[in-house]
Amino acid sequence: MASNSWHHHIRPLSGTLLLAFPLLLIALFFAARSSPFSTLSLSCNPSSLPASRRGSVIWSANRLFEWRPCGWWTDKAITALPARSNGYVRIDCYGGLNQMRRDLCDGVGIARLLNSTLVLPKFEVAAYWNESSGFEDIFDVDYFIQQTKGFVEVVKELPNDLASKEPFKVDCSKRNGNFDYVEAVLPALKKHHYISITPAMSQRRDRYPLYAKAALCQSCYRALRLNKALEAKAKELFNAIPKPFLSLHLRFEPDMVAYSQCEYSGLSTSSLSAIDSARGDRKPWTGDAAIAWRNRGKCPLTPAETAFILQSLSIPTNTNIYLAAGDGLMEIAGLTGSYMKVFSKSSFLDSEDFVNMHGNTKAALDYYVSINSDGYIATYFGNMDKMVSAMRVLNGMYKTLFLSRRAFANYSEKGLQGEKLADALWREHFDDFVTGRGFALPECFCEFKL
């Protein structure tokens, strides 16, 4: 991993842009007061805002429910590990960092379900990031082993009779939700003594005994921390970001738009060309099918649509925003035209260091910053967002929200524009925030009424 020298001065993404109108209200971030809108279609007069939104930042609402770690996991009321292991299991993880993290978490639960000993996982990242970083390049191995003790046995090395052998591969990734690991995988484990598995993308965790669920939860939320070198780098990045700040996970990359099979009007020629290059055999929906697809919330929000929703939530336009996003983000001016204090990793990294940094390392930095930011908003509910929201809940940080693509599409389809659309979106996200629907956390967390 390349060493990095850090700039402690700030280079905003939109330093040359001008405000469309002077701000009429100076608002402290997260303070319970509204921000004037800078878009021409919305009124800049705070007194003209609907009563439901007047003077109210989305975070100022009192929540009705709160997610917290479930007692059956945190109280460690778990079944003791069996005296004899059925064999060794290695988890093979593919994709981006948080997808691999998800598979690892599932794999630990499966390993405990099979009464097996877990070998350190294999990260198969070359196809995704074009790199070769492994588990130990991102996470603290010794800490992982220490924190999972009593939940599942983890070893760094295999016994001599297995050390030179490749594991028998059991690929479960395409199995459906009724797939049973004990019935289908345990016989192979007992026969070969050393297997590798790729967890099923859809599985029935509700059928797991509590001790297997507890192993999954402990490994995922208590045992995974960045290794010392990467954590030091992440802390340095975090300290360089102006405070307070909002971390925004914005997804509008060519491959994602192509995968969504959605079309957009008004995109630049370069964006359209990049999307076409990424499409492959995936053709965009057309006609009524395209409308129905968009109304189901399947189309990524553009940066301009994201800025509109942020303003509808009364997030001040002078908010410091850290952009937690991958390379290739398109149409960023749609955001920075309204929110001018937007920063990213490249705002603080030397360009050479940034180019040489591995994709998993970049994702790890975004993850660390996001779980520690004053607020977190995502335009998508993917693997990173699920992990970040869970970790923020674990740390008692509830200023977290997922923007509703479905609501934006549905209200726009009904013809709502400008202030009427903004008010409808505020009410939609207000309900999500106060009821906790926006968190949608996995089985490791339980809902408590406040």
Side-chain angles (χ1 to χ4, degrees), residues 226-240:
L226 302 183
N227 63 41
K228 292 181 180 179
L230 190 52
E231 185 175 55
K233 184 179 297 184
K235 286 181 178 179
E236 198 163 357
L237 172 60
F238 177 82
N239 291 334

Side-chain angles (χ1 to χ4, degrees), residues 391-410:
M391 292 303 297
R392 289 178 63 83
V393 164
L394 195 67
N395 296 327
M397 303 172 72
Y398 291 91
K399 290 178 179 176
T400 303
L401 200 64
F402 303 102
L403 303 189
S404 176
R405 295 173 292 172
R406 182 195 295 266
F408 185 87
N410 289 341

